[in-house]
Amino acid sequence: MSDENIMNQGNSEEISAGIKIVEEKGIGYTLTVEREDLFKAASALKEAGFDLFLFVSGIDYPESIKLTYRVYSSKRQNKLAVMLKTEVPKSDPTVDSLVPLWSAANWHERETYDLYGVIFKGHPDLRRIFLPQDWVGYPLRKDYSDDHMTVMDDGKKDKDKAAAKDKPAAAAPKESAEKQDAPEQPSDIADANEVSTNGSDKNE
Amino acid sequence: MGLIKMSKLEEMKISNHNLSELEKDLALNGEVESTEDIVTEELAIHFGPQHPSAHGVFHAIFHVKGEVVTKIEPDIGYLHRCFEKIAENRTYTQFIPYTDRMDYVASMTNNWAYCMAVEKLAGIEVPERAEHIRVIVGELQRIASHLVFLSTAGSEAGALTPFVYFFDEREGILTLYEKICGARLTYNYIRIGGVRADAPEGWLDDTLAFVTRLKKRMYDYDRLVLGNYIFKKRFIGVAPFSAEQALDWGLTGPPLRSTGVSYDVRRSDPYSVYPRLEFDVVVKYKGDNYDRACIRSDEIKQSIRIIEQAIEQIPEGPVKADGIAKVFKPAAGEGYGHVESPKGDLGFYVVSDGTTKPYRVKIQGPSFGNLQALPAMSEGTYIGDVVLTLGTLDPVFGEVDR
Amino acid sequence: MAGRISNFIDAWKSIVIGHSVTAKKLREPRSTFFYPYEPPKLEERYRGAPMLVRIAGETDEKEGACTACGLCAKACPVNCITVERNKDKEAPLKAAVWNLDLTRCMICGLCAETCPQGALKMSHDFENAVYVKDKLIYDMERVLRRPVMVKAAEPGSEE
Ligand code: SF4
Ligand code: SF4
């Protein structure tokens, strides 16, 4: 575990051998693991009484996607909730699915797959959940661009941009900030296709 | 009454319904002599997206065999607006009005959860008076949301009159909200470090008068809806869930508490001034539709208790923390804030990179988690009961899809 | 048989309770109103479409207290306000262009909260339906012409 050598940083507790939760400012108890150890750490948490899965969230960084899980315990007396953190590289965004431990992880992992493109190995039904199955790209990645989509444009956008240039006091158009980023990497699209053909069943 | 092949039914192990009684009834009416020669095929029925009982835009495929649902495939995303992406392109304050549009039946708690997450991130202390006002408006919101639940649950079971009464009561809350923040649905009232404006003169008295009146009326409403013969027949014993199942499927809020797990954020992870207020976490044990409905009525009574105490204790003072710059720029870090919204555990996870805009906002919507359990909960029940089960989970699709 | 009798009694009890509650409700004052014929009672803080407040005492002039600082445009989450300062350096600070795109406005009130002059308020105007969308893009004159229902307050005291 990566946090073995962390000295007593605020409040902490050893859940089981080598798995120690540490209090972090703003978010409470945290456990940071390598992605290979994720399933093992999660099993240890489950055994320690953390039986309610609350969410999984991706955070997009230039090189990697950080995943944050939150689990809650209905049985323990104190230190009731833990943020379980791990990191996957963007070149190979795969991680073990936690559905075998908590059924609740099902939709949450589908959501993270849909919006971040993280592939959860062992997930029973990894399909997009919010967006249509044929959607291209992962919208919550910072480099996502929807230029490939047809946009109705009556010249309004250009006018906004011109107006913003004239007077810096007015707000910069926020829509343009979303669009100026680099286009989607082809490797991600390939990933998406591969998974959606594997994971989806006949009815979409 | 659709006729079903009885042996098949037994195979499907429908524990929720008293089959022998049904069989007796059918035999009594002379409708069925031998159930062996009735054969049904499995049908796939599309439910929604625009169905009045779907509580929004929910699409599901029900696989039915006779009247019994064997499989449900939910399909969500019709109201997806990707607020999490929008948040990354708005300043911290600018995102508050968007949270209103998630769970639009309970906007106030959404505002609150988001502001709490940002306050945790930036380490802001909220003044006492503001905390009390937040508790009052938050509990009013719980009452309003549960009133909507009771009215829709009643109307789904065929009782249309209570619908009007509950909406009339809710109107009182909306008027109170209009007085304090100027809007009736999308409040945008709670601010980072406090609330937008102090309660106007006389507002607290009006609120007290309202809850006192509602307390008296709740007795009537309970008898009218929850005590009703048809309502009981439709709800008792349908789609029961055990505590293990509920935890496994990640239920929160009233559906989880109806199975005997006492998980209420107000007590499990106390925030605001709740530790100082006296109230009970309502817990039921059967976990069926009726418990899920009753728990909300009981929570209304607890909320009334909380409001009374909060109004009694409210101190004078500022309603907004000092020293929050116009251009709000928290240091890089993370914050997680969650409140017990009427639907369950509503959390916001905010990551900052030190600029004026959040780097990431994750919304943990309780409706999303609760809706997930619908297939597990209602496979094996009658198709007419699926709508009730969906109703008792009380999802709001603005929050499911976000 | 006993079950049937108790069912029968339960059912009738529900009906009696239902009727008694309805009878109680009948004696209460009605809580609806006939909207287009009866004006709705709006509370003082009600948020309608944003509007510019005229300078007190100059009601005949189509002029507001706005100094074209542009803070409202910055505060708006959906960018629906466009403010341009007049070009003349000598003249008092006034907005040359002040447009409000009501098709996008979500009546959140953040702009009015930000305005340091107290020049921008949320009006009580909620009947904004039009036949042509273009009419929802208000220029300064249109915004100033809104019925003034809020008194002009001290600068920066939008509460
Ligand atoms: S009310 Fe809100 S959306 Fe409308 S102009 Fe003001 S800030 Fe913009
Ligand atoms: S903030 Fe007030 S003074 Fe500044 S441009 Fe807007 S309306 Fe005018």
Side-chain angles (χ1 to χ4, degrees):
Chain A
M1 304 295 127
S2 68
D3 60 344
E4 259 175 6
N5 46 11
I6 296 177
M7 294 318 286
N8 241 2
Q9 245 189 16
N11 232 333
S12 70
E13 184 193 322
E14 189 135 354
I15 294 276
S16 73
I19 293 182
K20 196 162 83 173
I21 54 174
V22 185
E23 186 158 22
E24 229 179 77
K25 183 184 157 281
I27 56 172
Y29 291 95
T30 327
L31 168 63
T32 312
V33 294
E34 297 294 323
R35 69 167 161 155
E36 290 79 24
D37 300 329
L38 179 78
F39 195 83
K40 221 169 73 193
S43 316
L45 285 178
K46 175 104 197 261
E47 254 152 53
F50 292 91
D51 42 12
L52 182 61
F53 183 97
L54 288 171
F55 71 80
V56 50
S57 156
I59 309 168
D60 184 70
Y61 288 103
E63 293 303 318
S64 63
I65 294 169
K66 287 194 176 157
L67 294 173
T68 307
Y69 298 77
R70 187 179 172 85
V71 287
Y72 169 85
S73 164
S74 68
K75 299 193 181 75
R76 291 162 61 88
Q77 299 305 314
N78 54 7
K79 303 192 178 65
L80 293 176
V82 170
M83 294 279 202
L84 175 62
K85 288 184 175 178
T86 188
E87 196 169 349
V88 295
K90 264 193 183 165
S91 51
D92 173 30
T94 56
V95 72
D96 286 326
S97 167
L98 299 187
V99 178
L101 298 174
W102 296 280
S103 308
N106 192 323
W107 278 19
H108 292 278
E109 286 182 352
R110 274 177 71 186
E111 183 193 342
T112 310
Y113 163 68
D114 191 357
L115 304 177
Y116 276 99
V118 177
I119 291 159
F120 293 89
K121 275 185 296 185
H123 190 285
D125 179 23
L126 198 62
R127 279 180 296 143
R128 285 187 184 271
I129 186 163
F130 291 141
L131 303 176
Q133 304 298 326
D134 53 358
W135 195 272
V136 179
Y138 303 108
L140 276 182
R141 290 199 180 181
K142 297 273 175 188
D143 56 9
Y144 172 77
S145 131
D146 55 6
D147 285 348
H148 58 274
M149 286 163 59
T150 322
V151 186
M152 291 267 278
D153 196 346
D154 50 11
K156 180 95 176 62
K157 223 174 359 182
D158 304 350
K159 222 165 57 197
D160 274 1
K161 265 183 204 152
K165 233 179 269 162
D166 282 351
K167 41 169 192 62
K174 276 146 200 154
E175 292 91 338
S176 66
E178 288 169 12
K179 301 219 167 87
Q180 68 200 347
D181 294 315
E184 188 63 30
Q185 294 160 1
S187 67
D188 298 330
I189 300 170
D191 282 349
N193 292 339
E194 192 188 304
V195 170
S196 57
T197 44
N198 287 347
S200 68
D201 46 301
K202 54 191 186 315
N203 41 57
E204 315 186 329
Chain B
M1 182 89 220
L3 303 179
I4 328 145
K5 196 168 176 182
M6 287 301 163
S7 56
K8 281 273 160 71
L9 265 179
E10 247 133 36
E11 270 168 35
M12 281 187 265
K13 286 202 185 63
I14 305 146
S15 51
N16 306 332
H17 290 270
N18 198 340
L19 274 184
S20 55
E21 202 172 86
L22 175 77
E23 221 165 335
K24 232 188 289 162
D25 264 11
L26 290 176
L28 217 68
N29 301 341
E31 285 177 41
V32 176
E33 279 167 11
S34 153
T35 53
E36 289 307 305
D37 38 273
I38 307 164
V39 183
T40 56
E41 267 173 42
E42 188 165 305
L43 274 180
I45 297 177
H46 285 255
F47 173 76
Q50 265 105 25
H51 190 281
S53 300
H55 287 246
V57 275
F58 176 50
H59 176 216
I61 302 168
F62 295 162
H63 294 264
V64 291
K65 203 149 199 185
E67 287 268 317
V68 178
V69 177
T70 53
K71 190 170 166 219
I72 297 179
E73 291 170 41
D75 174 21
I76 60 173
Y78 289 86
L79 208 56
H80 181 59
R81 296 149 288 178
C82 216
F83 279 158
E84 295 174 3
K85 187 78 178 179
I86 293 176
E88 290 169 14
N89 298 292
R90 300 284 181 274
T91 64
Y92 284 92
T93 313
Q94 280 178 349
F95 187 58
I96 300 173
Y98 288 90
T99 61
D100 282 336
R101 276 120 184 120
M102 282 168 38
D103 179 353
Y104 38 76
V105 184
S107 307
M108 202 62 97
T109 42
N110 299 352
N111 285 183
W112 193 0
Y114 172 68
C115 290
M116 217 165 87
V118 179
E119 281 153 14
K120 286 242 183 90
L121 164 73
I124 297 170
E125 281 286 318
V126 182
E128 279 285 289
R129 187 175 174 85
E131 287 286 22
H132 279 83
I133 292 180
R134 282 179 178 194
V135 167
I136 295 168
V137 292
E139 294 302 324
L140 279 176
Q141 185 68 85
R142 190 182 319 281
I143 295 175
S145 172
H146 285 349
L147 286 173
V148 173
F149 165 80
L150 288 172
S151 59
T152 51
S155 71
E156 271 156 14
L160 283 170
T161 319
F163 185 89
V164 186
Y165 297 162
F166 286 129
F167 266 70
D168 183 17
E169 296 299 341
R170 179 168 173 261
E171 194 68 20
I173 297 177
L174 296 192
T175 310
L176 287 172
Y177 276 150
E178 192 183 329
K179 277 185 190 152
I180 197 167
C181 67
R184 299 165 60 83
L185 198 67
T186 49
Y187 310 116
N188 187 18
Y189 176 61
I190 292 176
R191 284 286 177 282
I192 297 159
V195 294
R196 176 195 171 115
D198 201 350
E201 219 169 286
W203 188 83
L204 292 172
D205 299 334
D206 289 352
T207 312
L208 197 61
F210 171 80
V211 292
T212 317
R213 201 188 58 192
L214 181 65
K215 196 156 74 179
K216 274 196 220 115
R217 290 186 179 177
M218 274 319 284
Y219 172 69
D220 272 350
Y221 293 151
D222 272 359
R223 290 193 308 160
L224 182 66
V225 180
L226 300 175
N228 185 280
Y229 177 71
I230 301 170
F231 190 89
K232 275 183 174 166
K233 282 270 160 181
R234 288 295 304 274
F235 278 68
I236 289 181
V238 177
F241 231 39
S242 70
E244 286 73 41
Q245 274 176 309
L247 288 166
D248 185 33
W249 280 105
L251 294 184
T252 53
L256 178 62
R257 287 195 289 276
S258 76
T259 64
V261 182
S262 140
Y263 174 47
D264 186 320
V265 184
R266 291 174 293 177
R267 281 284 185 248
S268 308
D269 184 9
Y271 55 96
S272 194
V273 291
Y274 280 114
R276 272 180 268 155
L277 300 171
E278 234 179 76
F279 67 98
D280 304 325
V281 176
V282 188
V283 178
K284 305 258 175 194
Y285 294 92
K286 282 204 233 66
D288 60 356
N289 275 353
Y290 191 66
D291 272 5
R292 282 193 283 273
C294 287
I295 207 161
R296 280 162 171 122
S297 156
D298 290 354
E299 278 187 9
I300 291 179
K301 287 164 210 153
Q302 296 300 328
S303 291
I304 292 172
R305 246 176 98 187
I306 296 173
I307 292 171
E308 284 169 349
Q309 290 171 51
I311 290 178
E312 201 176 287
Q313 294 177 7
I314 188 165
E316 289 297 320
V319 292
K320 207 162 176 199
D322 290 336
I324 296 175
K326 272 250 152 87
V327 185
F328 183 69
K329 215 173 176 181
E334 296 175 3
Y336 175 76
H338 59 160
V339 301
E340 182 68 29
S341 93
K343 309 289 182 310
D345 180 357
L346 170 69
F348 279 77
Y349 176 49
V350 184
V351 179
S352 154
D353 60 348
T355 58
T356 55
K357 293 172 183 173
Y359 189 73
R360 164 84 169 119
V361 175
K362 163 75 192 173
I363 303 160
Q364 169 205 341
S367 299
F368 182 75
N370 290 353
L371 183 69
Q372 198 180 172
L374 178 72
M377 212 175 252
S378 51
E379 275 168 12
T381 60
Y382 289 130
I383 188 164
D385 290 340
V386 176
V387 168
L388 302 186
T389 312
L390 176 65
T392 55
L393 288 174
D394 201 14
V396 169
F397 280 81
E399 189 176 76
V400 173
D401 297 341
R402 302 193 286 281
Chain C
M1 197 61 201
R4 294 214 162 193
I5 289 172
S6 79
N7 275 357
F8 185 79
I9 293 170
D10 273 1
W12 271 102
K13 220 161 85 189
S14 299
I15 293 173
V16 170
I17 289 170
H19 280 275
S20 72
V21 174
T22 310
K24 243 188 235 175
K25 277 273 168 188
L26 274 180
R27 274 179 272 128
E28 284 172 16
R30 102 186 125 91
S31 49
T32 51
F33 58 88
F34 296 101
Y35 158 57
Y37 310 107
E38 253 177 75
K41 295 182 283 299
L42 299 177
E43 302 299 337
E44 198 191 315
R45 284 184 186 174
Y46 180 81
R47 299 206 304 259
M51 60 154 200
L52 286 174
V53 181
R54 290 190 196 91
I55 299 171
E58 287 183 49
T59 40
D60 47 327
E61 300 267 320
K62 287 193 180 67
E63 240 170 45
C66 170
T67 56
C69 64
L71 284 179
C72 51
K74 240 185 190 164
C76 177
V78 287
N79 285 336
C80 62
I81 303 178
T82 319
V83 192
E84 258 171 57
R85 185 170 286 187
N86 52 359
K87 293 279 185 294
D88 191 353
K89 289 275 186 302
E90 303 298 305
L93 288 173
K94 280 279 167 286
V97 177
W98 201 101
N99 284 354
L100 172 70
D101 183 352
L102 208 62
T103 53
R104 284 203 257 164
C105 176
M106 55 175 166
I107 327 272
C108 65
L110 285 178
C111 50
E113 218 169 303
T114 320
C115 180
Q117 306 299 326
L120 186 58
K121 295 271 172 201
M122 303 307 281
S123 70
H124 282 192
D125 201 353
F126 62 93
E127 289 161 320
N128 294 314
V130 286
Y131 283 107
V132 190
K133 250 204 225 166
D134 293 0
K135 289 205 175 140
L136 283 175
I137 299 174
Y138 294 163
D139 58 5
M140 199 162 177
E141 286 203 4
R142 179 78 170 75
V143 176
L144 277 170
R145 230 184 294 125
R146 294 183 157 274
V148 180
M149 291 172 105
V150 199
K151 281 173 250 105
E154 304 296 301
S157 69
E158 150 60 26
E159 303 273 64

